[in-house]
Short mmCIF file of all heavy atoms in Angstrom, two decimals:
data_model
loop_
_atom_site.label_atom_id
_atom_site.label_comp_id
_atom_site.label_asym_id
_atom_site.label_seq_id
_atom_site.Cartn_x
_atom_site.Cartn_y
_atom_site.Cartn_z
N MET D 1 56.37 -29.44 32.66
CA MET D 1 55.40 -29.75 31.63
C MET D 1 56.04 -29.51 30.28
O MET D 1 56.69 -28.49 30.07
CB MET D 1 54.16 -28.87 31.81
CG MET D 1 53.15 -28.96 30.70
SD MET D 1 52.22 -30.48 30.47
CE MET D 1 51.49 -30.74 32.04
N ASP D 2 55.87 -30.44 29.38
CA ASP D 2 56.42 -30.32 28.01
C ASP D 2 55.31 -29.69 27.14
O ASP D 2 54.52 -30.35 26.51
CB ASP D 2 56.79 -31.70 27.48
CG ASP D 2 57.48 -31.63 26.16
OD1 ASP D 2 57.46 -30.57 25.46
OD2 ASP D 2 58.05 -32.65 25.73
N PHE D 3 55.29 -28.37 27.18
CA PHE D 3 54.20 -27.62 26.45
C PHE D 3 54.20 -27.86 24.92
O PHE D 3 53.13 -27.94 24.33
CB PHE D 3 54.22 -26.18 26.78
CG PHE D 3 53.78 -25.89 28.19
CD1 PHE D 3 54.67 -25.45 29.13
CD2 PHE D 3 52.47 -26.07 28.55
CE1 PHE D 3 54.27 -25.23 30.45
CE2 PHE D 3 52.01 -25.81 29.83
CZ PHE D 3 52.94 -25.41 30.80
N PRO D 4 55.32 -27.94 24.23
CA PRO D 4 55.28 -28.23 22.81
C PRO D 4 54.59 -29.58 22.51
O PRO D 4 53.72 -29.63 21.63
CB PRO D 4 56.77 -28.24 22.40
CG PRO D 4 57.39 -27.33 23.39
CD PRO D 4 56.70 -27.60 24.67
N ARG D 5 54.93 -30.60 23.26
CA ARG D 5 54.25 -31.91 23.02
C ARG D 5 52.81 -31.88 23.46
O ARG D 5 51.98 -32.54 22.81
CB ARG D 5 55.01 -32.99 23.80
CG ARG D 5 56.37 -33.28 23.14
CD ARG D 5 57.06 -34.47 23.70
NE ARG D 5 56.24 -35.67 23.52
CZ ARG D 5 56.39 -36.77 24.26
NH1 ARG D 5 57.31 -36.84 25.20
NH2 ARG D 5 55.60 -37.82 24.08
N LEU D 6 52.47 -31.10 24.47
CA LEU D 6 51.05 -30.97 24.88
C LEU D 6 50.27 -30.34 23.75
O LEU D 6 49.16 -30.82 23.45
CB LEU D 6 50.97 -30.07 26.14
CG LEU D 6 49.56 -29.78 26.61
CD1 LEU D 6 48.83 -31.08 27.02
CD2 LEU D 6 49.62 -28.79 27.76
N GLY D 7 50.79 -29.31 23.13
CA GLY D 7 50.09 -28.69 22.00
C GLY D 7 49.83 -29.65 20.88
O GLY D 7 48.77 -29.70 20.23
N GLU D 8 50.81 -30.46 20.56
CA GLU D 8 50.69 -31.49 19.51
C GLU D 8 49.61 -32.53 19.88
O GLU D 8 48.80 -32.90 19.03
CB GLU D 8 52.01 -32.20 19.28
CG GLU D 8 53.08 -31.29 18.72
CD GLU D 8 54.46 -31.89 18.80
OE1 GLU D 8 54.62 -33.01 19.36
OE2 GLU D 8 55.44 -31.21 18.33
N ALA D 9 49.59 -32.96 21.15
CA ALA D 9 48.65 -33.95 21.58
C ALA D 9 47.22 -33.38 21.56
O ALA D 9 46.27 -34.07 21.16
CB ALA D 9 49.02 -34.44 22.98
N LEU D 10 47.06 -32.14 22.00
CA LEU D 10 45.75 -31.53 22.01
C LEU D 10 45.19 -31.33 20.61
O LEU D 10 44.00 -31.56 20.44
CB LEU D 10 45.84 -30.18 22.80
CG LEU D 10 45.98 -30.29 24.30
CD1 LEU D 10 46.25 -28.92 24.90
CD2 LEU D 10 44.76 -30.94 24.93
N VAL D 11 46.01 -30.89 19.73
CA VAL D 11 45.50 -30.68 18.33
C VAL D 11 45.15 -32.03 17.71
O VAL D 11 44.19 -32.15 16.92
CB VAL D 11 46.50 -29.89 17.46
CG1 VAL D 11 47.62 -30.73 16.90
CG2 VAL D 11 45.76 -29.17 16.34
N ARG D 12 45.81 -33.09 18.11
CA ARG D 12 45.56 -34.44 17.56
C ARG D 12 44.21 -34.97 18.03
O ARG D 12 43.46 -35.57 17.27
CB ARG D 12 46.70 -35.39 17.95
CG ARG D 12 46.51 -36.80 17.45
CD ARG D 12 47.68 -37.70 17.84
NE ARG D 12 48.07 -37.61 19.24
CZ ARG D 12 47.47 -38.27 20.24
NH1 ARG D 12 46.43 -39.02 19.98
NH2 ARG D 12 47.92 -38.14 21.46
N VAL D 13 43.84 -34.71 19.30
CA VAL D 13 42.61 -35.28 19.86
C VAL D 13 41.43 -34.31 19.82
O VAL D 13 40.31 -34.74 20.17
CB VAL D 13 42.84 -35.76 21.34
CG1 VAL D 13 43.91 -36.83 21.36
CG2 VAL D 13 43.16 -34.58 22.26
N THR D 14 41.62 -33.05 19.40
CA THR D 14 40.49 -32.13 19.34
C THR D 14 39.75 -32.28 18.03
O THR D 14 40.38 -32.38 16.95
CB THR D 14 41.05 -30.69 19.45
OG1 THR D 14 41.77 -30.59 20.71
CG2 THR D 14 39.92 -29.68 19.44
N ARG D 15 38.47 -32.34 18.09
CA ARG D 15 37.61 -32.51 16.91
C ARG D 15 37.74 -31.25 16.05
O ARG D 15 38.06 -30.16 16.49
CB ARG D 15 36.16 -32.63 17.28
CG ARG D 15 35.87 -33.93 18.00
CD ARG D 15 34.40 -34.05 18.29
NE ARG D 15 34.14 -35.32 18.98
CZ ARG D 15 33.00 -35.64 19.50
NH1 ARG D 15 31.97 -34.79 19.42
NH2 ARG D 15 32.83 -36.78 20.11
N ASP D 16 37.48 -31.41 14.73
CA ASP D 16 37.42 -30.25 13.83
C ASP D 16 36.44 -29.21 14.38
O ASP D 16 35.33 -29.54 14.75
CB ASP D 16 37.00 -30.72 12.41
CG ASP D 16 38.05 -31.51 11.69
OD1 ASP D 16 39.20 -31.48 12.16
OD2 ASP D 16 37.74 -32.18 10.72
N GLY D 17 36.90 -28.01 14.40
CA GLY D 17 36.06 -26.92 14.93
C GLY D 17 36.15 -26.78 16.41
O GLY D 17 35.53 -25.88 16.98
N GLY D 18 36.88 -27.67 17.07
CA GLY D 18 37.03 -27.63 18.52
C GLY D 18 37.95 -26.53 18.97
O GLY D 18 38.61 -25.90 18.16
N ALA D 19 37.99 -26.32 20.26
CA ALA D 19 38.85 -25.24 20.82
C ALA D 19 39.60 -25.76 22.01
O ALA D 19 39.27 -26.75 22.60
CB ALA D 19 37.95 -24.08 21.23
N CYS D 20 40.67 -25.07 22.35
CA CYS D 20 41.49 -25.40 23.49
C CYS D 20 41.70 -24.07 24.26
O CYS D 20 42.02 -23.05 23.65
CB CYS D 20 42.83 -25.95 23.01
SG CYS D 20 44.04 -26.19 24.33
N CYS D 21 41.48 -24.13 25.53
CA CYS D 21 41.67 -22.95 26.39
C CYS D 21 42.87 -23.28 27.33
O CYS D 21 42.84 -24.28 28.00
CB CYS D 21 40.42 -22.66 27.19
SG CYS D 21 40.60 -21.30 28.34
N VAL D 22 43.82 -22.40 27.33
CA VAL D 22 44.99 -22.60 28.18
C VAL D 22 45.10 -21.46 29.17
O VAL D 22 45.09 -20.31 28.79
CB VAL D 22 46.33 -22.65 27.31
CG1 VAL D 22 47.52 -22.84 28.19
CG2 VAL D 22 46.22 -23.74 26.25
N VAL D 23 45.22 -21.78 30.45
CA VAL D 23 45.32 -20.80 31.49
C VAL D 23 46.67 -21.00 32.17
O VAL D 23 46.90 -22.00 32.79
CB VAL D 23 44.19 -20.88 32.53
CG1 VAL D 23 44.41 -19.85 33.61
CG2 VAL D 23 42.84 -20.72 31.80
N ILE D 24 47.59 -20.02 31.96
CA ILE D 24 48.91 -20.11 32.57
C ILE D 24 49.20 -18.75 33.21
O ILE D 24 48.99 -17.72 32.61
CB ILE D 24 50.01 -20.40 31.50
CG1 ILE D 24 49.79 -21.75 30.88
CG2 ILE D 24 51.40 -20.27 32.10
CD1 ILE D 24 50.78 -22.09 29.79
N GLY D 25 49.64 -18.80 34.43
CA GLY D 25 49.96 -17.59 35.15
C GLY D 25 51.39 -17.11 34.78
O GLY D 25 52.38 -17.72 35.18
N ASP D 26 51.45 -16.05 33.97
CA ASP D 26 52.78 -15.48 33.60
C ASP D 26 53.40 -14.90 34.87
O ASP D 26 52.75 -14.27 35.68
CB ASP D 26 52.61 -14.39 32.59
CG ASP D 26 52.91 -14.86 31.15
OD1 ASP D 26 53.53 -15.92 31.03
OD2 ASP D 26 52.60 -14.13 30.24
N SER D 27 54.71 -15.02 34.99
CA SER D 27 55.40 -14.42 36.10
C SER D 27 55.81 -12.98 35.74
O SER D 27 55.73 -12.58 34.55
CB SER D 27 56.63 -15.24 36.45
OG SER D 27 57.54 -15.24 35.38
N MET D 28 56.24 -12.23 36.74
CA MET D 28 56.73 -10.88 36.52
C MET D 28 58.25 -10.91 36.59
O MET D 28 58.79 -11.53 37.46
CB MET D 28 56.18 -9.92 37.56
CG MET D 28 54.66 -9.76 37.52
SD MET D 28 54.09 -8.83 36.12
CE MET D 28 54.55 -7.19 36.57
N GLN D 29 58.90 -10.19 35.65
CA GLN D 29 60.34 -10.06 35.65
C GLN D 29 60.65 -8.61 35.40
O GLN D 29 60.25 -8.07 34.31
CB GLN D 29 60.99 -10.96 34.63
CG GLN D 29 60.78 -12.43 34.88
CD GLN D 29 61.34 -13.31 33.76
OE1 GLN D 29 61.73 -12.82 32.72
NE2 GLN D 29 61.36 -14.57 34.02
N ASN D 30 61.33 -7.94 36.24
CA ASN D 30 61.70 -6.52 36.07
C ASN D 30 60.46 -5.66 35.80
O ASN D 30 60.44 -4.88 34.88
CB ASN D 30 62.73 -6.35 34.98
CG ASN D 30 64.03 -7.03 35.29
OD1 ASN D 30 64.48 -7.02 36.42
ND2 ASN D 30 64.62 -7.70 34.32
N PHE D 31 59.40 -5.90 36.56
CA PHE D 31 58.15 -5.15 36.47
C PHE D 31 57.38 -5.34 35.17
O PHE D 31 56.63 -4.48 34.74
CB PHE D 31 58.38 -3.68 36.72
CG PHE D 31 59.08 -3.40 38.04
CD1 PHE D 31 60.40 -3.10 38.08
CD2 PHE D 31 58.39 -3.53 39.24
CE1 PHE D 31 61.06 -2.88 39.28
CE2 PHE D 31 59.02 -3.30 40.44
CZ PHE D 31 60.39 -3.00 40.47
N ALA D 32 57.61 -6.45 34.49
CA ALA D 32 56.92 -6.75 33.24
C ALA D 32 56.58 -8.24 33.15
O ALA D 32 57.23 -9.07 33.81
CB ALA D 32 57.76 -6.36 32.02
N ARG D 33 55.59 -8.60 32.43
CA ARG D 33 55.20 -9.98 32.24
C ARG D 33 56.31 -10.76 31.52
O ARG D 33 57.01 -10.19 30.67
CB ARG D 33 53.92 -10.10 31.42
CG ARG D 33 52.71 -9.55 32.11
CD ARG D 33 52.24 -10.53 33.14
NE ARG D 33 51.13 -9.95 33.90
CZ ARG D 33 50.86 -10.35 35.13
NH1 ARG D 33 51.51 -11.29 35.73
NH2 ARG D 33 49.84 -9.76 35.75
N SER D 34 56.44 -12.03 31.80
CA SER D 34 57.48 -12.85 31.19
C SER D 34 57.16 -13.24 29.75
O SER D 34 58.06 -13.69 29.02
CB SER D 34 57.74 -14.12 32.02
OG SER D 34 56.58 -14.94 31.97
N LEU D 35 55.93 -13.10 29.34
CA LEU D 35 55.44 -13.42 28.01
C LEU D 35 55.46 -14.94 27.72
O LEU D 35 55.36 -15.36 26.56
CB LEU D 35 56.22 -12.67 26.92
CG LEU D 35 56.26 -11.15 27.05
CD1 LEU D 35 57.09 -10.55 25.91
CD2 LEU D 35 54.86 -10.63 27.02
N THR D 36 55.47 -15.73 28.73
CA THR D 36 55.42 -17.19 28.55
C THR D 36 54.20 -17.62 27.75
O THR D 36 54.28 -18.43 26.84
CB THR D 36 55.40 -17.89 29.92
OG1 THR D 36 56.58 -17.52 30.66
CG2 THR D 36 55.31 -19.38 29.79
N MET D 37 53.05 -17.04 28.12
CA MET D 37 51.80 -17.42 27.41
C MET D 37 51.83 -17.03 25.94
O MET D 37 51.38 -17.73 25.07
CB MET D 37 50.59 -16.78 28.10
CG MET D 37 49.27 -17.27 27.64
SD MET D 37 49.10 -19.03 27.88
CE MET D 37 48.65 -19.50 26.26
N PHE D 38 52.39 -15.85 25.63
CA PHE D 38 52.49 -15.42 24.24
C PHE D 38 53.43 -16.32 23.44
O PHE D 38 53.17 -16.68 22.33
CB PHE D 38 52.97 -13.98 24.13
CG PHE D 38 51.88 -12.99 24.49
CD1 PHE D 38 51.88 -12.36 25.73
CD2 PHE D 38 50.88 -12.67 23.60
CE1 PHE D 38 50.92 -11.46 26.07
CE2 PHE D 38 49.90 -11.79 23.95
CZ PHE D 38 49.89 -11.16 25.18
N ARG D 39 54.55 -16.66 24.06
CA ARG D 39 55.49 -17.56 23.39
C ARG D 39 54.87 -18.97 23.10
O ARG D 39 55.03 -19.50 22.01
CB ARG D 39 56.75 -17.74 24.22
CG ARG D 39 57.62 -16.51 24.24
CD ARG D 39 58.94 -16.74 25.00
NE ARG D 39 59.74 -15.55 24.95
CZ ARG D 39 59.75 -14.61 25.89
NH1 ARG D 39 59.02 -14.75 26.96
NH2 ARG D 39 60.51 -13.54 25.76
N LEU D 40 54.06 -19.44 24.07
CA LEU D 40 53.37 -20.71 23.88
C LEU D 40 52.37 -20.57 22.75
O LEU D 40 52.30 -21.46 21.86
CB LEU D 40 52.66 -21.09 25.18
CG LEU D 40 51.78 -22.33 25.08
CD1 LEU D 40 52.64 -23.58 24.88
CD2 LEU D 40 50.90 -22.48 26.31
N ALA D 41 51.57 -19.50 22.73
CA ALA D 41 50.60 -19.33 21.64
C ALA D 41 51.27 -19.23 20.28
O ALA D 41 50.76 -19.88 19.34
CB ALA D 41 49.75 -18.10 21.94
N VAL D 42 52.30 -18.50 20.16
CA VAL D 42 52.98 -18.35 18.85
C VAL D 42 53.56 -19.71 18.42
O VAL D 42 53.45 -20.10 17.28
CB VAL D 42 54.11 -17.29 18.96
CG1 VAL D 42 55.02 -17.36 17.73
CG2 VAL D 42 53.49 -15.90 19.11
N ASP D 43 54.17 -20.46 19.37
CA ASP D 43 54.71 -21.75 19.03
C ASP D 43 53.62 -22.69 18.56
O ASP D 43 53.76 -23.37 17.50
CB ASP D 43 55.43 -22.39 20.23
CG ASP D 43 55.95 -23.76 19.96
OD1 ASP D 43 56.80 -23.90 19.05
OD2 ASP D 43 55.52 -24.70 20.64
N TRP D 44 52.52 -22.75 19.28
CA TRP D 44 51.43 -23.67 18.90
C TRP D 44 50.79 -23.26 17.57
O TRP D 44 50.42 -24.14 16.83
CB TRP D 44 50.37 -23.73 20.02
CG TRP D 44 50.78 -24.56 21.22
CD1 TRP D 44 51.99 -25.05 21.49
CD2 TRP D 44 49.91 -25.00 22.22
NE1 TRP D 44 51.93 -25.74 22.70
CE2 TRP D 44 50.66 -25.73 23.14
CE3 TRP D 44 48.54 -24.81 22.50
CZ2 TRP D 44 50.12 -26.33 24.28
CZ3 TRP D 44 48.00 -25.39 23.65
CH2 TRP D 44 48.80 -26.14 24.52
N CYS D 45 50.73 -21.99 17.28
CA CYS D 45 50.13 -21.55 16.02
C CYS D 45 51.12 -21.80 14.85
O CYS D 45 50.73 -22.33 13.81
CB CYS D 45 49.77 -20.10 16.05
SG CYS D 45 48.36 -19.74 17.15
N ASP D 46 52.37 -21.42 15.02
CA ASP D 46 53.37 -21.55 13.94
C ASP D 46 53.78 -22.99 13.69
O ASP D 46 53.91 -23.44 12.55
CB ASP D 46 54.62 -20.77 14.26
CG ASP D 46 54.41 -19.26 14.15
OD1 ASP D 46 53.36 -18.86 13.62
OD2 ASP D 46 55.31 -18.50 14.58
N ARG D 47 54.02 -23.74 14.74
CA ARG D 47 54.64 -25.08 14.59
C ARG D 47 53.60 -26.21 14.59
O ARG D 47 53.74 -27.17 13.87
CB ARG D 47 55.65 -25.31 15.71
CG ARG D 47 56.53 -26.50 15.57
CD ARG D 47 57.46 -26.64 16.74
NE ARG D 47 56.75 -26.68 18.04
CZ ARG D 47 56.16 -27.78 18.51
NH1 ARG D 47 56.14 -28.88 17.80
NH2 ARG D 47 55.54 -27.75 19.71
N VAL D 48 52.53 -26.08 15.39
CA VAL D 48 51.61 -27.21 15.60
C VAL D 48 50.36 -27.06 14.72
O VAL D 48 49.83 -28.08 14.29
CB VAL D 48 51.21 -27.30 17.11
CG1 VAL D 48 50.22 -28.40 17.32
CG2 VAL D 48 52.47 -27.48 17.94
N GLY D 49 49.91 -25.84 14.41
CA GLY D 49 48.79 -25.68 13.57
C GLY D 49 47.53 -25.16 14.23
O GLY D 49 46.47 -25.03 13.59
N TRP D 50 47.63 -24.79 15.51
CA TRP D 50 46.47 -24.12 16.16
C TRP D 50 46.26 -22.74 15.57
O TRP D 50 47.18 -22.18 14.97
CB TRP D 50 46.76 -23.97 17.66
CG TRP D 50 46.56 -25.21 18.46
CD1 TRP D 50 47.54 -26.06 18.92
CD2 TRP D 50 45.32 -25.81 18.87
NE1 TRP D 50 46.98 -27.10 19.60
CE2 TRP D 50 45.62 -26.98 19.59
CE3 TRP D 50 43.96 -25.45 18.72
CZ2 TRP D 50 44.64 -27.79 20.15
CZ3 TRP D 50 42.98 -26.26 19.27
CH2 TRP D 50 43.32 -27.41 19.97
N ARG D 51 45.06 -22.19 15.73
CA ARG D 51 44.79 -20.83 15.33
C ARG D 51 44.37 -20.04 16.59
O ARG D 51 43.58 -20.51 17.38
CB ARG D 51 43.65 -20.76 14.31
CG ARG D 51 44.05 -21.41 12.98
CD ARG D 51 42.94 -21.32 11.98
NE ARG D 51 41.76 -22.03 12.54
CZ ARG D 51 40.53 -21.75 12.21
NH1 ARG D 51 40.26 -20.79 11.37
NH2 ARG D 51 39.50 -22.39 12.71
N LEU D 52 44.92 -18.88 16.76
CA LEU D 52 44.63 -18.05 17.91
C LEU D 52 43.34 -17.25 17.63
O LEU D 52 43.29 -16.48 16.71
CB LEU D 52 45.75 -17.07 18.24
CG LEU D 52 45.59 -16.16 19.46
CD1 LEU D 52 45.45 -17.02 20.71
CD2 LEU D 52 46.76 -15.21 19.55
N LEU D 53 42.32 -17.49 18.41
CA LEU D 53 41.04 -16.82 18.23
C LEU D 53 40.87 -15.64 19.15
O LEU D 53 40.27 -14.61 18.81
CB LEU D 53 39.86 -17.82 18.39
CG LEU D 53 39.88 -19.02 17.50
CD1 LEU D 53 38.75 -19.92 17.81
CD2 LEU D 53 39.83 -18.58 16.05
N GLU D 54 41.39 -15.75 20.37
CA GLU D 54 41.19 -14.68 21.39
C GLU D 54 42.25 -14.84 22.45
O GLU D 54 42.79 -15.92 22.64
CB GLU D 54 39.81 -14.77 22.00
CG GLU D 54 39.45 -13.59 22.87
CD GLU D 54 39.56 -12.27 22.16
OE1 GLU D 54 38.74 -12.01 21.26
OE2 GLU D 54 40.45 -11.50 22.54
N LYS D 55 42.54 -13.77 23.13
CA LYS D 55 43.44 -13.79 24.26
C LYS D 55 42.82 -12.94 25.35
O LYS D 55 42.06 -12.05 25.10
CB LYS D 55 44.82 -13.25 23.89
CG LYS D 55 44.74 -11.84 23.33
CD LYS D 55 45.96 -11.07 23.50
CE LYS D 55 45.89 -9.72 22.85
NZ LYS D 55 44.66 -8.99 22.97
N CYS D 56 43.14 -13.28 26.57
CA CYS D 56 42.62 -12.58 27.73
C CYS D 56 43.75 -12.53 28.78
O CYS D 56 44.25 -13.56 29.16
CB CYS D 56 41.39 -13.25 28.30
SG CYS D 56 40.78 -12.44 29.79
N ILE D 57 44.15 -11.34 29.17
CA ILE D 57 45.15 -11.18 30.19
C ILE D 57 44.46 -10.56 31.41
O ILE D 57 43.79 -9.52 31.29
CB ILE D 57 46.29 -10.29 29.69
CG1 ILE D 57 46.95 -10.89 28.46
CG2 ILE D 57 47.34 -10.06 30.81
CD1 ILE D 57 47.96 -10.00 27.79
N TYR D 58 44.61 -11.21 32.52
CA TYR D 58 43.95 -10.69 33.73
C TYR D 58 44.81 -10.95 34.94
O TYR D 58 45.70 -11.77 34.90
CB TYR D 58 42.56 -11.29 33.90
CG TYR D 58 42.59 -12.74 34.28
CD1 TYR D 58 42.51 -13.14 35.60
CD2 TYR D 58 42.72 -13.73 33.29
CE1 TYR D 58 42.51 -14.49 35.94
CE2 TYR D 58 42.75 -15.08 33.62
CZ TYR D 58 42.66 -15.43 34.95
OH TYR D 58 42.69 -16.77 35.30
N GLU D 59 44.48 -10.29 35.98
CA GLU D 59 45.15 -10.55 37.29
C GLU D 59 44.03 -10.86 38.28
O GLU D 59 43.06 -10.11 38.38
CB GLU D 59 45.94 -9.35 37.74
CG GLU D 59 46.68 -9.59 39.03
CD GLU D 59 47.57 -8.42 39.39
OE1 GLU D 59 47.94 -7.64 38.51
OE2 GLU D 59 47.96 -8.32 40.54
N ARG D 60 44.14 -11.95 39.01
CA ARG D 60 43.12 -12.29 39.96
C ARG D 60 43.63 -12.05 41.36
O ARG D 60 44.80 -12.12 41.63
CB ARG D 60 42.69 -13.76 39.80
CG ARG D 60 43.81 -14.75 40.10
CD ARG D 60 43.33 -16.16 39.78
NE ARG D 60 44.45 -17.05 39.75
CZ ARG D 60 44.69 -17.98 40.67
NH1 ARG D 60 43.84 -18.18 41.62
NH2 ARG D 60 45.72 -18.73 40.60
N ALA D 61 42.69 -11.78 42.22
CA ALA D 61 43.03 -11.58 43.63
C ALA D 61 43.72 -12.83 44.22
O ALA D 61 43.29 -13.95 43.88
CB ALA D 61 41.77 -11.26 44.43
N GLY D 62 44.73 -12.65 44.98
CA GLY D 62 45.43 -13.79 45.56
C GLY D 62 46.61 -14.26 44.75
O GLY D 62 47.33 -15.18 45.16
N ASN D 63 46.82 -13.66 43.61
CA ASN D 63 47.93 -14.08 42.70
C ASN D 63 48.85 -12.87 42.48
O ASN D 63 49.38 -12.70 41.40
CB ASN D 63 47.37 -14.60 41.37
CG ASN D 63 48.41 -15.37 40.60
OD1 ASN D 63 49.36 -15.86 41.14
ND2 ASN D 63 48.20 -15.47 39.30
N LEU D 64 48.96 -12.03 43.51
CA LEU D 64 49.69 -10.76 43.36
C LEU D 64 51.18 -10.93 43.12
O LEU D 64 51.81 -10.06 42.51
CB LEU D 64 49.39 -9.86 44.55
CG LEU D 64 47.92 -9.56 44.78
CD1 LEU D 64 47.76 -8.73 46.07
CD2 LEU D 64 47.34 -8.85 43.60
N GLY D 65 51.79 -12.00 43.60
CA GLY D 65 53.23 -12.14 43.49
C GLY D 65 53.66 -12.80 42.20
O GLY D 65 54.81 -12.90 41.90
N ALA D 66 52.72 -13.26 41.36
CA ALA D 66 53.07 -13.98 40.15
C ALA D 66 53.50 -13.02 39.06
O ALA D 66 53.23 -11.92 39.03
CB ALA D 66 51.88 -14.83 39.68
#
């Protein structure tokens, strides 16, 4: 998936005042999160023009190896 282009396309088609929710399962590396979601959020805010309103980090049952 080309996430930078996805962010550009989503901001283009989202109405003023609209929101985008992205759910991505970060992987674990050396007992820590890979920070993929944070990198995506920073890129979309800095480069594309999105604004970060909230973040939620959770672990769901059945996704223990991610």
Side-chain angles (χ1 to χ4, degrees):
M1 172 69 57
D2 187 347
F3 288 110
R5 289 189 60 201
L6 176 62
E8 294 166 359
L10 288 171
V11 80
R12 180 178 48 81
V13 300
T14 302
R15 293 182 181 173
D16 289 343
C20 174
C21 177
V22 180
V23 178
I24 296 177
D26 261 345
S27 64
M28 297 288 286
Q29 297 174 350
N30 298 321
F31 305 103
R33 295 281 175 206
S34 66
L35 302 179
T36 301
M37 190 60 234
F38 285 103
R39 289 184 178 95
L40 175 68
V42 168
D43 177 61
W44 283 14
C45 291
D46 287 351
R47 191 181 55 78
V48 179
W50 282 102
R51 294 181 300 152
L52 181 62
L53 302 177
E54 189 56 67
K55 55 155 176 43
C56 177
I57 300 172
Y58 71 96
E59 183 174 340
R60 65 185 166 111
N63 196 22
L64 302 176

